[in-house]
Each structure stands twice: as structure tokens, then as C-alpha cells.
């Protein structure tokens, strides 16, 4: 299943990136050797406004179709992948998922300030969902395979096999457990190799050699906590934007209005358009001046939050990486006034990794992803880890949510105030803690809307059924008891089945 999912994620990711490039070249006036930012800068103000407003039209029409239920049957939760994994057991409906993925790629190519990774993540998870349905896998294994498929999608489009696998485990599943590593690695490696049939095998960012210095070491210790506090603000901003998504009546109007405003602003600041990849490349090379960096630092996260609030589908990986590079570059340029000597681009690399780690609360995956994205991080590894540790430590003390778990926290918050109840998405450790804290023999399990779905007894939580394996991805819904007695039969070892008394169902 992991290998087949990797093949699907690699092919899907490669085709989506081909589509992204085709949309960009059709919408913007590319010249020989241009990247996306250069093409936007060559465009006239009228063209910028029309193209970006057109992206709002595409996003609005797609969202209107989904919300009308034409292709929304069984999709649930607005199609957000994190909720799909934990609340829907990794089940994705093909047509809504493909529509959201294609829409995401098209609007990013037209200038939406969102990431491109959302589409390949969804396609990779969809491949896993289809295969898991065909093989009738238990829910716990479905969640694992869906997360591996999503990580494989990232691995394919960014050429980061190890980083994609660790991202799936640490960020999407919340655990780097050794039994889960082999399927995650197998899926990501196969997807990356398959994507080479359609995409170039090269690093995402080209950076020069940056030697380490004492200035960078001291700066990393000082800047890490600051980056962590900015990450908390960013997570809360994105969470607020997700809550503010417009209703059905404004499905068409909101994206059109937001993207028209984005296009008007981009006439003066074309750096706001797209996922921010070219801005990161500029920061890593140490090119922009401090005034421009500060302006984009303020406007870019606001543009990303506005696009999300309008209901447009898209990712957050590269926009978050961009914000970190801008913040690190700005703090580094200020630092150089008092302690000159270090390359300005090195501060941007350190800041990008630290903020990504704090915002996703995935320090290991952030370091590995930055290493694979640049393939030149080895000389800066010590200051990178120092800043990352400080940023993640401060962020976790202030905010327990991450960019990808904020929606799950919202779903669990609906039942957190009810005594003796847990969410269907509660992990086994949360379920056992609830049983111990309440002292009850069982707890009620409710879904996001507060509707009861059953009970879990203490015996089932202590001695889970083999169908709940692997326990690292099991949720409270997997332990719900059945039958009139409220108990679920516990499988006995083969040698004792003959003499064991039979329990009634």
C-alpha cells in the first residue's frame, strides 16, 4: 500500500507542477530566464489587476460548487486534510479533492498568496484513501497511510524524500515513532523517484557557501525567542482567518473582493503574489534592502491570511518559510549594524527554518526540510538548531496549536467543556488520561457537533483490539464499545480460546 501510494503521489504531484507552470506562463509575460517574480514585475498594472482578480473568480466559483453540494458529497470538514485524517479516518472523496487541488494550483499560478503544497498533499492522501478503501484497511492504518501519502506529495514536488516522511510523522501525525518510519520513508522515496519523470532533480533553492561565525551563534540565541513569538502571532492570525471564512451567500463575492485588493496592492509590491519562493531565494542571496524587506514582512502574512479568509484553497508551507526568511533577514540586517561581518543571507536561512519549526511545532522536520531544500545547510547547522530550539520552546509555552493542528483543536474544543466526554479525534493517550482524571468506568465519545457516537470502557482502552493498531494513529472512535452490555470482546490468545467463556455481543 505504501509503495502504490508513493507512485500515485509522485505522478499526481508531477502533473500538478506541470499545470502550475503552464498557468504561470499563460498568465504572465515570461522572458528567457525569468522566474515568477520577474514575470510579474514585467507585467503592466492593468494585467496584474486582471489576472489576480481572475484568480478570485476561479476560487469563488470552485468554492460555490463545493458548498452547493454538487461535488461535495461525503467530503466533510471543508476538505481540510488535517481534519480528514483525524475526524474522517483519512477518507477523501475523489471529485471534491481533485477540484480543490486543481483550483489551488490554478489560483497560485495566477498570483494567490498561498502555497503550492496543498494540492499534492491532497492528491497523495487521496491515492492512499482509494487504496485503503479497496484493501478494507482498519481506520488506524487508513490514517497512517493518508498521512504518508500527504507527506509523499510534499516530497515529490519539493524533491525532499526524507523531509516529506518526517513531516508526515511529526506534523500530521504528531509522533516520530519507529514503527511508523518505514512506511513513511517508503512512500516518500517512491514518490520522489517517480516525480523525476516529470520534474527536475535539483534543490529548490540555490545558495552560496556560508561559513559559520560567532556573530551568527550569538544572533541565533537572541533571535530564536523573537522568532517564536512572531510564529505564535502568525498561527493565531491564520487560525482567525480560517474561522472568518465567509458563508454560502458570499462564496463568490469574498474571493473576488480580496483578490482584487491583492492585485491592486501587488502593483506596488509584486513580491506579495505567488507562494513566495522567489522572495525566499532573494533573501537567501542577501539581495533586498531593509526597507523593502520590512514592507513585505508586514504585508505578506496579511495577504496569505486574507486569501484563506476568503475561502480560497491553498497551502501554508512556502508562505511560512517566506515569512521566516523575511524576519530572519530583517533581524540580521539590523544586527549587522552593531556586529558586521556575517553574510546577510545566512540570517534569512536560519530565520526561515526557525519560524517554520515554531509555526508547525515540528523542529526535526523543519531542519531536515531546510537541509534538503538548500542542500548547503551543513555549515550553518549549529546556529540553525540553536535558533530553532529557542523559537519552538517559546512558541510551545505560549500556544499549543500549530498551523496544521489549529482546526483539530477547534473540533476538540466543542467537547472539551463537557465532563466525561472526549472527541472522536482524541488520541489513545488523551482517552486514557480522561478515564483516569474522571475516575469513571467509561467515557462518552462525541463528534465535532457534539453528537454522541458511543462509549469507551476502561477495559477497552487498556486492552485495545488488534483492529486499533498501530496505536500511535488510533483515536477514541476506534475504541467505541458495541452491544447492549457496553463492552467489546477482547481477542484472546489462540491457546486459551478453547477454554475461555464466551461473551455475548
Amino acid at each position: 500500500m505504501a509503495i502504490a501510494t508513493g507512485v500515485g503521489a509522485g505522478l499526481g504531484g508531477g502533473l500538478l507542477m506541470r499545470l502550475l507552470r503552464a498557468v504561470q506562463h499563460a498568465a504572465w509575460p515570461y522572458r528567457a530566464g525569468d522566474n515568477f517574480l520577474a514575470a510579474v514585475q514585467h507585467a503592466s498594472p492593468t494585467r496584474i489587476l486582471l489576472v489576480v482578480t481572475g484568480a478570485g473568480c476561479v476560487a469563488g466559483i470552485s468554492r460555490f460548487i463545493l458548498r452547493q453540494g454538487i461535488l461535495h458529497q461525503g467530503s466533510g470538514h471543508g476538505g481540510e486534510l488535517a481534519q480528514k485524517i483525524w475526524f474522517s479516518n483519512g477518507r477523501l472523496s475523489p471529485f471534491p479533492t481533485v477540484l480543490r487541488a486543481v483550483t489551488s494550483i490554478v489560483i497560485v499560478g495566477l498570483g494567490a498568496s498561498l502555497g503550492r503544497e496543498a494540492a499534492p498533499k491532497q492528491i497523495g492522501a487521496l491515492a492512499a484513501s482509494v487504496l485503503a478503501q479497496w484493501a478494507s484497511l482498519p481506520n488506524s492504518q487508513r490514517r497512517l497511510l493518508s498521512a504518508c501519502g500527504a507527506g509523499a506529495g510534499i516530497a515529490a514536488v519539493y524533491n525532499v524524500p526524507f523531509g516529506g516522511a518526517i513531516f508526515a510523522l511529526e506534523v500530521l501525525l504528531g509522533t516520530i515513532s519507529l514503527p511508523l518510519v518505514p512506511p513513511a520513508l517508503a512512500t516518500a522515496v517512491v514518490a520522489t523517484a517517480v516525480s523525476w519523470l516529470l520534474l527536475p532533480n535539483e534543490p529548490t533553492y540555490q545558495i552560496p557557501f556560508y561559513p559559520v561565525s560567532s556573530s551568527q551563534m550569538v544572533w541565533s540565541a537572541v533571535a530564536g525567542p523573537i522568532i517564536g513569538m512572531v510564529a505564535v502571532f502568525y498561527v493565531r492570525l491564520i487560525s482567525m482567518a480560517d474561522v472568518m471564512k465567509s458563508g454560502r451567500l458570499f462564496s463568490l463575492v469574498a474571493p473576488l473582493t480580496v483578490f482584487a485588493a491583492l492585485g491592486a496592492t501587488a502593483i506596488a509590491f509584486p513580491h506579495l503574489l505567488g507562494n513566495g519562493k522567489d522572495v525566499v531565494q532573494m533573501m537567501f542571496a542577501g539581495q533586498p534592502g531593509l526597507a523593502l524587506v520590512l514592507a513585505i514582512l508586514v504585508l505578506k502574512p496579511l495577504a496569505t491570511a486574507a486569501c484563506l479568509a476568503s475561502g480560497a484553497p491553498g497551502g501554508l508551507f512556502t508562505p511560512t518559510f517566506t515569512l521566516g526568511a523575511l524576519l530572519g533577514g530583517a533581524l540580521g540586517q539590523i544586527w549587522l549594524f552593531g556586529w558586521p561581518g556575517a553574510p546577510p543571507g545566512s540570517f534569512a536561512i536560519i530565520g526561515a527554518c526557525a519560524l517554520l519549526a515554531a509555526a508547525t511545532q515540528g523542529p526535526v522536520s523543519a531542519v531536515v526540510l531546510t537541509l534538503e531544500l538548500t542542500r548547503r545547510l551543513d555549515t550553518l547547522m549549529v546556529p540553525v538548531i540553536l535558533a530553532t530550539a529557542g523559537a519552538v520552546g517559546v512558541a510551545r509555552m505560549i500556544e499549543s496549536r500549530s498551523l496544521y493542528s489549529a482546526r483539530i483543536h477547534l473540533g476538540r474544543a466543542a467537547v472539551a467543556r463537557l465532563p466525561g466526554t472526549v472527541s472522536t479525534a482524541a488520541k489513545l493517550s488523551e482517552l486514557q488520561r480522561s478515564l483516569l482524571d474522571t475516575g469513571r468506568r467509561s467515557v462518552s465519545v462525541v463528534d465535532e457537533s457534539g453528537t454522541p457516537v458511543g462509549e469507551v470502557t476502561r477495559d477497552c482502552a487498556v486492552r485495545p483490539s488488534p483492529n486499533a493498531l498501530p496505536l500511535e494513529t488510533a483515536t477514541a472512535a476506534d475504541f467505541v464499545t458495541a452491544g447492549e452490555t457496553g463492552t467489546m470482546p477482547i481477542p484472546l490468545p489462540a491457546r486459551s480460546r478453547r477454554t475461555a467463556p464466551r461473551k455475548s455481543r
Side-chain angles (χ1 to χ4, degrees):
M1 293 293 102
I3 294 174
T5 299
V7 173
L11 291 175
L15 292 174
L16 287 171
M17 293 305 101
R18 287 287 187 92
L19 175 62
L20 174 64
R21 184 172 179 84
V23 171
Q24 289 175 335
H25 281 258
W28 303 103
Y30 274 78
R31 300 176 183 176
D34 277 355
N35 55 25
F36 176 79
L37 178 58
V40 173
Q41 290 173 332
H42 293 153
S44 65
T46 303
R47 185 167 186 169
I48 292 176
L49 185 60
L50 290 177
V51 170
V52 179
T53 305
C57 292
V58 173
I61 293 173
S62 174
R63 188 164 187 252
F64 182 79
I65 293 174
L66 290 172
R67 291 188 68 88
Q68 291 299 320
I70 298 174
L71 294 176
H72 196 57
Q73 300 295 329
S75 62
H77 310 295
E80 302 299 345
L81 184 58
Q83 291 176 296
K84 287 293 189 180
I85 293 175
W86 293 108
F87 287 104
S88 300
N89 303 321
R91 290 180 171 85
L92 283 81
S93 299
F95 291 113
T97 302
V98 172
L99 177 60
R100 287 177 60 87
V102 172
T103 301
S104 173
I105 287 297
V106 171
I107 64 174
V108 170
L110 295 178
S113 183
L114 296 168
R116 60 176 179 168
E117 91 284 351
K121 278 198 317 181
Q122 290 176 339
I123 294 301
L126 176 61
S129 176
V130 172
L131 289 168
Q133 181 70 25
W134 171 77
S136 300
L137 294 182
N139 290 335
S140 188
Q141 295 183 28
R142 293 181 67 104
R143 298 186 197 98
L144 172 60
L145 194 62
S146 295
C148 291
I154 293 180
V157 300
Y158 289 104
N159 200 16
V160 288
F162 192 31
I166 301 300
F167 180 89
L169 299 177
E170 185 179 36
V171 177
L172 296 180
L173 294 180
T175 176
I176 305 182
S177 178
L178 291 181
L180 308 186
V181 172
L185 281 177
T187 311
V189 168
V190 171
T192 304
V194 170
S195 70
W196 290 340
L197 300 174
L198 301 169
L199 303 176
N201 178 15
E202 60 185 18
T204 303
Y205 301 107
Q206 305 288 339
I207 64 172
F209 173 80
Y210 286 137
V212 67
S213 65
S214 56
S215 175
Q216 296 163 340
M217 298 291 293
V218 178
W219 179 88
S220 298
V222 175
I226 300 175
I227 295 173
M229 288 186 287
V230 174
V232 170
F233 168 79
Y234 182 62
V235 169
R236 293 181 178 179
L237 176 67
I238 295 300
S239 300
M240 182 175 63
D242 187 64
V243 174
M244 291 172 59
K245 285 182 179 179
S246 57
R248 178 176 295 184
L249 294 177
F250 300 98
S251 296
L252 287 170
V253 178
L256 189 64
T257 304
V258 169
F259 278 78
L262 175 61
T265 308
I267 295 175
F269 297 98
H271 307 78
L272 300 180
L273 299 184
N275 61 356
K277 174 187 174 183
D278 299 326
V279 176
V280 174
Q281 181 63 61
M282 290 174 56
M283 296 303 302
F284 285 178
Q287 296 175 356
L290 182 58
L292 178 60
V293 171
L294 291 176
I296 306 174
L297 176 63
V298 174
L299 294 175
K300 183 63 175 177
L302 295 178
T304 300
C307 290
L308 285 177
S310 72
L316 295 170
F317 176 79
T318 304
T320 305
F321 208 62
T322 304
L323 177 62
L326 290 167
L327 179 60
L331 294 176
Q333 290 190 38
I334 296 173
W335 180 267
L336 290 176
F337 287 121
W339 193 339
S346 63
F347 298 106
I349 298 174
I350 298 171
C353 181
L355 193 133
L356 178 66
T360 62
Q361 295 200 3
V364 178
S365 59
V367 173
V368 174
L369 283 168
T370 307
L371 178 63
E372 288 188 307
L373 288 171
T374 62
R375 299 187 186 176
R376 294 293 296 271
L377 188 66
D378 48 346
T379 57
L380 298 176
M381 187 61 72
V382 174
V384 162
I385 294 178
L386 184 61
T388 298
V392 174
V394 170
R396 286 184 175 177
M397 287 191 297
I398 303 175
E399 178 61 73
S400 61
R401 300 173 298 175
S402 73
L403 287 176
Y404 297 98
S405 68
R407 298 179 180 95
I408 302 175
H409 279 269
L410 289 175
R412 291 173 178 172
V415 301
R417 297 183 297 271
L418 303 176
T421 61
V422 295
S423 168
T424 54
K427 292 187 176 182
L428 178 59
S429 58
E430 301 174 52
L431 174 62
Q432 294 173 339
R433 190 182 308 116
S434 178
L435 285 166
L436 291 175
D437 292 343
T438 59
R440 302 186 181 190
R441 296 182 59 87
S442 65
V443 294
S444 298
V445 180
V446 297
D447 59 17
E448 288 183 274
S449 62
T451 304
V453 298
E455 290 188 345
V456 177
T457 63
R458 182 174 298 184
D459 188 39
C460 289
V462 173
R463 295 188 296 164
S465 167
N467 288 332
L469 298 176
L471 296 179
E472 293 86 352
T473 57
T475 65
D478 300 330
F479 303 96
V480 172
T481 56
E484 299 179 355
T485 60
T487 59
M488 181 170 60
I490 306 298
L492 297 173
R495 68 178 65 178
S496 58
R497 284 178 183 168
R498 186 174 299 175
T499 58
R502 210 180 263 182
K503 283 188 178 181
S504 61
R505 288 185 177 270

